Amino acid sequence: MQDSSSSGDSGKSTTHFGFQTVEEVEKARKVAEVFHSVAAKYDVMNDLMSAGLHRAWKAFTIARADVRTGMKVLDIAGGTGDLSKAFAKRVGPSGQVWLTDINDSMLRVGRDRMVDAGLLLPTAVCDAEKLPFQDGYFDRVSVAFGLRNMTHKDRALAEMRRVLKPGGKLLVLEFSRVAKPLAPAYDWYSFNVLPWLGKKVAGDEESYRYLAESIRMHPDQETLVDMMRHAGLSRVRYFNLTAGLVALHEGVNLG
């Protein structure tokens, strides 16, 4: 289901925060609270929740990105920096990788990880719906597990296309629609095990309940293809990973 906005009786625009309907300005605050809360345990929880599979999903994304020496890469909602770190090793000293996130708690964790790895990358707290970069600046733009938290996904996708060079590629790695035979077991895991893990490991049950709900509200594979095309991207395609639990979408800016 697409995360859409509407105007209620108050005239204020509303949107989804998980299964709740909230005002748009309220969603931004609530999403920020989620990631301020989970930042310190984010990597540990990713390993536990996915049984380490998130590393394979990201490795596939990195391979599909085909980042080469001298390229400029923008990692949106880069969080703790897994993709940025891999990209930085590929672009070399003549290239540039920007690690960005709208949440400063997540960005601090990512920046510290980069420094620990001996990488000094440019970082910026920025909103994907209003990117502070000039048109056609980047060869690659990536967003991993961040698009579903954005209020206006159409605006964010249009901004991602705007900052891509002609011939540049956008890669969107996100939870998607799992194969139907697996859906009942996946639903049970999502709404029972994830909140329990969040409570025990991160001390935050509700943030991981939101995670499960936000996945269900995110556009399915074909809907996201349509959204990317509407944003002006071409050659849009997707790869289902782990039976559609996650999908990698990619599109090219033909200029």
Side-chain angles (χ1 to χ4, degrees):
M1 181 176 178
Q2 185 172 333
D3 186 3
S4 58
S5 298
S6 61
S7 295
D9 294 338
S10 65
K12 295 181 179 179
S13 294
T14 59
T15 188
H16 299 290
F17 176 76
F19 291 162
Q20 302 175 50
T21 298
V22 298
E23 293 179 9
E24 287 185 357
V25 292
E26 184 74 357
K27 175 172 180 172
R29 182 184 66 78
K30 285 179 172 289
V31 170
E33 287 174 353
V34 166
F35 286 96
H36 285 313
S37 174
V38 305
K41 296 287 187 179
Y42 187 77
D43 289 328
V44 172
M45 284 296 295
N46 276 352
D47 279 328
L48 289 173
M49 291 186 301
S50 70
L53 281 171
H54 75 100
R55 299 177 185 274
W57 301 331
K58 291 170 183 173
F60 181 75
T61 302
I62 291 159
R64 289 296 309 174
D66 190 26
V67 169
R68 299 184 296 276
T69 301
M71 282 187 169
K72 292 183 174 69
V73 182
L74 173 61
D75 186 11
I76 294 173
T80 55
D82 286 345
L83 294 187
S84 289
K85 183 178 178 181
F87 293 148
K89 292 178 179 178
R90 286 160 174 75
V91 302
S94 61
Q96 189 178 81
V97 176
W98 276 85
L99 171 60
T100 71
D101 203 292
I102 197 171
N103 188 279
D104 60 326
S105 295
M106 293 291 291
L107 193 63
R108 280 196 295 270
V109 173
R111 182 185 58 203
D112 290 348
R113 284 188 67 198
M114 296 303 103
V115 172
D116 290 345
L119 298 169
L120 298 178
L121 306 183
T123 60
V125 174
C126 66
D127 184 346
E129 296 178 20
K130 295 172 285 188
L131 293 173
F133 302 102
Q134 67 192 53
D135 295 0
Y137 187 76
F138 294 99
D139 298 282
R140 299 287 187 271
V141 174
S142 68
V143 55
F145 305 112
L147 185 64
R148 75 179 185 284
N149 296 311
M150 297 174 190
T151 304
H152 304 102
K153 297 176 180 62
D154 53 346
R155 294 182 196 173
L157 291 169
E159 277 288 272
M160 295 174 204
R161 185 208 59 78
R162 178 184 67 78
V163 301
L164 274 172
K165 293 179 180 178
K169 183 190 288 188
L170 169 65
L171 300 109
V172 180
L173 180 66
E174 189 54 89
F175 292 107
S176 199
R177 291 296 181 273
V178 72
K180 286 186 178 180
L182 299 179
Y186 180 48
D187 285 345
W188 182 88
Y189 174 82
S190 297
F191 291 104
N192 291 278
V193 177
L194 290 189
W196 180 84
L197 278 174
K199 181 179 180 180
K200 295 296 183 181
V201 178
D204 186 347
E205 180 178 353
E206 288 308 308
S207 289
Y208 288 91
R209 193 175 306 282
Y210 162 72
L211 167 65
E213 293 177 359
S214 69
I215 292 169
R216 272 67 183 181
M217 302 306 293
H218 186 66
D220 63 19
Q221 288 90 328
E222 292 296 339
T223 301
L224 186 52
V225 166
D226 291 340
M227 292 174 71
M228 290 175 68
R229 286 174 177 157
H230 188 72
L233 292 153
S234 302
R235 301 176 186 167
V236 180
R237 60 188 301 197
Y238 67 87
F239 303 87
N240 278 329
L241 307 176
T242 317
L245 178 67
V246 165
L248 173 65
H249 283 68
E250 59 181 45
V252 176
N253 178 26
L254 294 183

